[in-house]
Every structure is written in C-alpha cells, then in structure tokens.
Amino acid sequence: MGVKGFVEGGIASIIAGCSTHPLDLIKVRMQLQGETPISAPATVHNLRPALAFHTGAANHTISIPAPSVVAPPRVGPVAVGVKIIQQEGVAALFSGVSATVLRQTLYSTTRMGLYDMLKQKWTDPDTNIMPLPKKIVAGLIAGGIGAAVGNPADVAMVRMQADGRLPISQRRNYKSVIDAITQMSKSEGVTSLWRGSSLTVNRAMLVTASQLASYDQFKETILEKGLMKDGLGTHVISSFAAGFVAAVASNPVDVIKTRVMNMKVEQGMSPPYNGAIDCAMKTIKAEGPMALYKGFIPTISRQGPFTVVLFVTLEQVRKMLKDF
C-alpha cells in the first residue's frame, strides 16, 4: 500500500499504452470521420458581360457560391491504417506516442495507484474479498482524479494523432508533447489544456470502474469456481473480458471527447461545439445516434489488447516487486 501501487500501475500502463498506440491512433481518426468540415464562405464576383458598353447603368452582378464540401466516405479500421501508411508513412502510426507516455505517466499511474490503495483499504480482511459495488466506487474515484491530472497530455495526444488528417495548411505540426502543450498555452490559453476535461473525467470514471472492477470480478469468479488456476490464462481471459466491458461503457463519451478536444477555434469565430452536450446533439443530428459508437471496432481492438497487456504486465511486475 502506498507508492508501490503507483509504480506497478505506471510501469504496466506505459508498456500497454505504447504497444497499442497505433490502434488508438486509428480509433481517433475513425471517430473524426463524418465531422462537418468548416467550409469557406461563399465568394461573390462582380462580372460584366463581354460586350457590355460603358454606360451609367449598374454593373451586372453574378454570384458564384463556393463549391460545397463533400465529406469522404467512411471506411473501416484496416483501410484507415493502410491510408495512413500510404500517405504519411509507417512512422505516422506512432504520431503522438510521446503524449501517450506522458498521459499514461500522469493519468494511469494515478488511477491505478489510487484504486490499489482503496482496494486494500476496503477489502474485507476476513474473506479477502472486496464487494463489486465498492470496486465500482473505487474505480470511479480513481478514474476521475487520474483524468483531471492527465488531461493536458490527453488533449495533446488527440491533436497529435489527428494532425495528419488535416490539410497541410491547417496542420499544427507539433514536434513533441511538450511543444504541443507549449503552443496550446500560448495561442489558446492555459485553459485549453483542460478542454473537454469534463468528458475526460466522465470517460475515465467509466473506463476505470468498468475495466479494473470487472477484471477483479472476472478473475475472482474464475478462481472461486475452480475453472482455472491463478496464472497467465486466467489473467488473459479476465483482462480481455474487462476490455470489452470498458469499450462498451466508454465509447460514446470517447467519441464526443475526441471531437471537442480536436476542434479548431479561430479568433473572432464561434467554436464548432459549445460543449459536450452541444457536440453530442450535433453529432446525432448530422450522423445518427450510432455515430456515438463510431470507431467501436478499433476501440475494442485497442481496448482488448491494451487491457490484456496492462493486467498481464501488472501481474508480472507485482511478482517482481513482491519483496519490496
């Protein structure tokens, strides 16, 4: 109890985050598909007929509106990944990985450590079991605090991952997570680092409560019923099931969070979204309610391996550090 839980959780989270980063990037790109692009204002040209004589009459004005922007067709995760490699190179799959490392260091280390502390405090000493409701509450508390701490890195990660889909003239071209945070602070104010923080906190509470609580519950159930022994097989099955539960619970909030964090706010212009609820309503109105589960396949494709790597690594790290 104490620092050890934070160290164990931090090491496991960083390894899991880096190893599944390309899947997370594909998920972000898919979640941004279908966003209404900011179209250029209509242009009006004053044209005079070729054979017009110079008279006192007013010139003829012909309005030529700007061509409408047609959103590209939606494609699946494999096609998105192939397109990224073709247009931006293989290295683009790891765009924003420095932000992932910082995010896992701040967010996941905090949530894993706090959950471990609460778990040890609330576990019944006689039965050595923590009731499911208490696990969920512990996950909600740990996730919320961790998300508040790690939000700046989360915003930077989303922007760095999404940068490649923008036209070259609109790209932010952040060199690293530190550069991203510095540029955002200078151009948009320090408060921009906590843009979408309410969404981040809500999502983190859902993910942590569903992921950590369900992992412990699945693992305890398997061991109690004698289905498997406490080993790698039990850890893999429990963690993948926990990843699926977390993906189902968090995907709608994740879509809205990604769009709010990625929106570009121009000086003198109103932002595309006025908050989480406005973003959700506009998304549902323009794309339908299932848009909130956009990117679910890459989400579960990423959440599953991430959760497996996270808990398998965590169990191994705990064995290594059990004497400390």
Side-chain angles (χ1 to χ4, degrees):
M1 184 173 182
V3 178
K4 186 179 176 182
F6 289 88
V7 173
E8 293 170 344
I11 293 173
S13 298
I14 292 171
I15 293 174
C18 291
S19 61
T20 58
H21 183 82
L23 295 172
D24 194 47
L25 183 142
I26 291 173
K27 177 203 72 174
V28 167
R29 296 287 182 94
M30 289 190 69
Q31 288 176 339
L32 293 173
Q33 285 185 114
E35 263 197 317
T36 305
I38 302 174
S39 57
T43 55
V44 178
H45 300 281
N46 292 328
L47 303 178
R48 296 185 67 222
L51 300 178
F53 295 98
H54 292 281
T55 64
N59 294 341
H60 294 277
T61 301
I62 302 176
S63 298
I64 304 177
S68 59
V69 180
V70 180
R74 299 172 187 174
V75 293
V78 175
V80 171
V82 171
K83 185 178 179 181
I84 292 171
I85 294 173
Q86 289 176 341
Q87 295 183 351
E88 305 169 47
V90 177
L93 292 174
F94 286 89
S95 297
V97 71
S98 61
T100 292
V101 173
L102 180 60
R103 177 178 180 269
Q104 297 300 337
T105 301
L106 297 175
Y107 159 61
S108 289
T109 300
T110 302
R111 73 177 184 125
M112 298 289 284
L114 286 176
Y115 180 81
D116 187 62
M117 290 179 64
L118 294 173
K119 180 181 175 181
Q120 293 190 40
K121 186 175 181 180
W122 292 349
T123 296
D124 189 327
D126 298 325
T127 61
N128 201 31
I129 292 177
M130 181 179 177
L132 180 59
K134 288 188 176 181
K135 292 174 185 172
I136 294 174
V137 173
L140 292 173
I141 295 172
I145 296 174
V149 173
N151 200 81
D154 208 4
V155 176
M157 183 184 71
V158 167
R159 290 196 175 192
M160 292 174 75
Q161 289 177 334
D163 210 37
R165 69 182 285 274
L166 297 173
I168 296 177
S169 60
Q170 296 180 21
R171 291 183 185 177
R172 302 173 177 108
N173 296 318
Y174 298 134
K175 298 176 182 177
S176 66
V177 61
I178 302 301
D179 180 51
I181 291 175
T182 302
Q183 285 195 41
M184 281 188 285
S185 300
K186 289 181 179 179
S187 61
E188 303 174 50
V190 177
T191 55
S192 67
L193 299 177
W194 274 270
R195 179 174 294 157
S197 58
S198 61
L199 289 165
T200 305
V201 169
N202 290 335
R203 176 188 178 277
M205 292 173 71
L206 288 173
V207 168
T208 305
S210 57
Q211 187 185 65
L212 301 187
S214 60
Y215 172 77
D216 284 342
Q217 195 65 31
F218 283 126
K219 180 182 173 183
E220 288 175 8
T221 302
I222 291 174
L223 295 177
E224 284 177 6
K225 294 186 178 295
L227 300 176
M228 299 178 71
K229 295 182 179 180
D230 189 4
L232 182 61
T234 300
H235 302 159
V236 171
I237 293 174
S238 300
S239 57
F240 191 83
F244 181 80
V245 173
V248 172
S250 65
N251 203 87
V253 179
D254 200 24
V255 171
I256 304 303
K257 175 183 78 74
T258 297
R259 295 192 173 195
V260 170
M261 285 183 171
N262 186 61
M263 69 176 177
K264 190 171 185 179
V265 182
E266 302 283 353
Q267 286 189 349
M269 296 180 64
S270 58
Y273 307 118
N274 293 321
I277 296 177
D278 181 54
C279 179
M281 296 302 294
K282 286 181 178 178
T283 299
I284 293 172
K285 184 177 180 180
E287 306 167 52
M290 288 308 295
L292 296 178
Y293 275 92
K294 185 171 290 182
F296 179 75
I297 297 301
T299 294
I300 187 59
S301 299
R302 183 260 180 188
Q303 194 71 261
F306 173 85
T307 310
V308 170
V309 175
L310 173 66
F311 286 114
V312 170
T313 305
L314 180 62
E315 297 284 1
Q316 298 306 310
V317 172
R318 282 175 176 170
K319 288 181 181 179
M320 293 172 59
L321 300 179
K322 66 180 180 179
D323 296 328
F324 289 91

